[in-house]
Every structure is written in structure tokens, then in C-alpha cells.
Amino acid sequence: MEFKKLIGLKINYIRKSNKLSQEEFVEKLNIDINRGQLSRYESGENSPSVEFIAVVCTTFKISPYWLLDIDDIKLSNDEYELILKFKGLPTEAKCSIKLLIDLLIDKH
């Protein structure tokens, strides 16, 4: 897949998983970008700037390695979705899930 398209799909995924419209997403980033530019990033028509990537990663607590697809660990879309959902949980829920995972691993 073309690099611009891949980043665009991931940006779109981040926005939709946070239940934000393009306008809300742009507002939340608080940088000099408009909805049209975001649309061109999401469609893979244009590549986002380094500043945009840095702000998205910081704002949404996303690994730049994941966003730029340079992570050594290759995950499926389902695994990415689980990670993003996990990141959005409160600390107490994360602790409970970690305990459940440990229990499941110990059983196998």
C-alpha cells in the first residue's frame, strides 16, 4: 500500500475511533490546518507535515512508529483497534484487563 494512503487510513481510524468529525478533530489538534487539508490527508492525496504527525501522536497518545508504519511489531487491524480502545480506558479498567490477560496466559 502506498505510504500516503496508509497514513491517511490510520489518521481516519484515529479520528473515527475518537468519534470526532473532521472539524472537531482539527479543532482538537489546535494547529494551522483546516478540514479540507485533513480530508486530503485521510484520502492519501497529500502527506501530512511532521508537525501534524507530532501533534496527532501527542494529542491522541499514538506511537509515531505505529502511525508511520515503522514499528517492528506487525499487528492486524483488530489488534490495532484493541490497543486504541485499551489506551482510552481508565487506569482501573486497564489493570483489570491486564489481570485477565495474565490469567488467560497462565491457563494455556
Side-chain angles (χ1 to χ4, degrees), residues 20-75:
L20 298 171
S21 68
Q22 288 182 329
E23 292 84 6
E24 293 167 329
F25 189 83
V26 168
E27 273 183 37
K28 191 168 182 82
L29 295 179
N30 196 30
I31 58 172
D32 188 24
I33 181 177
N34 61 44
R35 191 208 59 78
Q37 289 170 297
L38 176 62
S39 179
R40 288 187 290 280
Y41 294 161
E42 288 186 357
S43 70
E45 184 180 330
N46 292 346
S47 293
S49 68
V50 172
E51 177 191 18
F52 177 85
I53 291 169
V55 171
V56 166
C57 291
T58 303
T59 302
F60 294 98
K61 297 174 179 47
I62 302 296
S63 164
Y65 296 105
W66 173 80
L67 183 59
L68 298 173
D69 204 40
I70 55 176
D71 201 345
D72 288 339
I73 301 170
K74 299 296 180 199
L75 301 175

Side-chain angles (χ1 to χ4, degrees), residues 54-100:
V55 171
V56 166
C57 291
T58 303
T59 302
F60 294 98
K61 297 174 179 47
I62 302 296
S63 164
Y65 296 105
W66 173 80
L67 183 59
L68 298 173
D69 204 40
I70 55 176
D71 201 345
D72 288 339
I73 301 170
K74 299 296 180 199
L75 301 175
S76 70
N77 288 338
D78 289 339
E79 290 165 329
Y80 282 136
E81 186 174 328
L82 286 172
I83 289 168
L84 290 175
K85 286 179 179 179
F86 182 80
K87 285 183 173 191
L89 293 172
T91 302
E92 186 177 304
K94 287 179 183 177
C95 290
S96 297
I97 289 173
K98 287 177 186 177
L99 288 172
L100 288 170

